[in-house]
Amino acid sequence: MALRSTKGSVSASEGNEWSKLSPAISSKKPAASTASADELLNARRAERTYKVDSAAVSGTADSVFGGHDSPVDSVEPFKPVAFSGEKVEEKTTGSEATSVSSAAPVDQSVRFSTIAEKEEEAQRRAEVREIAVKDRPKALKLRATLIALTIPFVTLMLAIRGVASAPFLWLTYHRPGFPEDSYGFSPDERMTYGSYGMDYVRNLAPESYLANLKTAGGHNLFLSSEVGHMSDVKMVLWWATLGTLLLVVLALLASRSLRNRAPGVIRKSLFAGALIALVLMIALGVLGALGWETLFETFHHVLFPQGNWQFRMSDTLIRLYPPQFWVDAAIAVAAITLLISLLLLALTWPTKYRRELAKRRAEERLELRRRLTEGV
């Protein structure tokens, strides 16, 4: 009988050990934790039983077949037996004959193969249990940092996409004090044409989506330079969105098993990320208040180094999205980011209850590790 490879079966069985270990940590009831720990401890005792059986059978085999440590003289003299049905009558020198129950002849090769398999299984389970005991997650600090850094990007992207929408455009056009178009666009025309621009940067339409738009007089609504700039804006927004989604996926993968194996780490990471987003937005707000024009131009120089973002006041883009629109948009982005950050801070604030809960779960895990290590 071919023996299975121990190394190949350790990783495949690790999930089974964790299926027993995870409920013990995640459960709030001591009884459930104890039951899960007992299952692993019983498995440990079973392994010891396998080893005892192996030693006993090996000793018996040596005594029967004359092992290296057994002198031949120690073997009892052979006594002839007569097989009759399922009974064996032992021939003795006396007049009495003792009848004993006979079993089928034992195939020693099969018996030894079974023992080897049991020892292999015991070794495999011991290795998997060792992995479960030494369960500190790999790259814990790196994973916590990745989760924390994802939060500012997510909050900022949600705010930007919220502002690049028709509802925000309507609120801006209709708020008191917003400047009217001095070149003749009515509020309805402004809303219609402006919505096309907002939709274009968020959808997957080609440049013809804007290039084919006509005014009431039959002229092209946007110049080719304006369409090119809007196409650049669209590419920047979509790449930023895809990058943020990739960070979210990586953060979700990094957070796997941390809730059970490192209690409190996810909450601390989310709290740190919300705090970073809050501080960053406050810093940008201060810079904007001290020098809005400088901040606006620096932003465009970084994202659009080709320099096609400057237009005349009579161009359609400036008439639809005048300088005041960008001031309002920046304020809205800052407000949405601050709101999300404050909400996340409130949900992850290290209150006494949350600290004690994480501490209790960590202590339960340490106790389980101790019991698995000592086998008590």
Side-chain angles (χ1 to χ4, degrees), residues 33-242:
S33 176
T34 302
S36 298
D38 287 342
E39 291 180 9
L40 292 179
L41 295 177
N42 289 335
R44 186 185 184 118
R45 296 188 184 98
E47 294 161 14
R48 295 176 178 172
T49 303
Y50 295 155
K51 295 180 180 179
V52 172
D53 291 344
S54 173
V57 173
S58 298
T60 302
D62 290 340
S63 64
V64 172
F65 296 103
H68 294 290
D69 297 331
S70 298
V72 178
D73 296 339
S74 63
V75 181
E76 296 182 0
F78 175 75
K79 298 179 181 181
V81 294
F83 292 92
S84 57
E86 295 188 0
K87 296 289 183 177
V88 176
E89 295 183 357
E90 185 177 350
K91 303 299 183 179
T92 61
T93 56
S95 59
E96 294 183 356
T98 305
S99 297
V100 294
S101 299
S102 66
V106 178
D107 188 344
Q108 295 296 337
S109 62
V110 175
R111 188 171 185 178
F112 292 155
S113 177
T114 304
I115 294 171
E117 288 184 350
K118 289 183 178 180
E119 289 181 342
E120 179 189 358
E121 179 70 13
Q123 181 182 356
R124 181 188 62 77
R125 291 181 62 83
E127 291 180 4
V128 174
R129 189 182 63 250
E130 189 68 17
I131 296 173
V133 171
K134 298 178 180 179
D135 62 344
R136 178 177 174 82
K138 296 181 180 179
L140 181 59
K141 292 184 178 179
L142 178 62
R143 294 163 68 177
T145 303
L146 177 61
I147 296 172
L149 293 180
T150 302
I151 300 303
F153 287 97
V154 172
T155 55
L156 185 61
M157 184 53 56
L158 289 176
I160 291 175
R161 295 191 71 88
V163 168
S165 61
F168 174 78
L169 192 65
W170 187 92
L171 290 174
T172 303
Y173 285 161
H174 291 82
R175 77 166 180 83
F178 191 80
E180 297 180 355
D181 177 33
S182 57
Y183 291 91
F185 278 157
S186 66
D188 290 340
E189 289 177 327
R190 218 177 191 184
M191 185 65 199
T192 301
Y193 299 148
S195 296
Y196 274 106
M198 290 295 182
D199 291 341
Y200 175 71
V201 298
R202 291 186 295 109
N203 61 27
L204 299 176
E207 291 186 358
S208 58
Y209 185 87
L210 293 181
N212 294 336
L213 290 177
K214 305 291 184 179
T215 63
H219 302 289
N220 288 334
L221 182 64
F222 295 102
L223 300 175
S224 58
S225 58
E226 295 175 300
V227 174
H229 176 63
M230 292 296 284
S231 180
D232 292 341
V233 173
K234 180 176 188 170
M235 292 300 297
V236 169
L237 183 60
W238 270 104
W239 278 115
T241 302
L242 293 176

Side-chain angles (χ1 to χ4, degrees), residues 247-274:
L247 277 177
V248 171
V249 172
L250 293 176
L252 290 176
L253 293 176
S255 64
R256 290 184 60 187
S257 77
L258 289 186
R259 183 177 181 274
N260 290 331
R261 301 177 66 188
V265 170
I266 295 180
R267 179 188 59 78
K268 293 177 182 178
S269 300
L270 294 177
F271 181 83

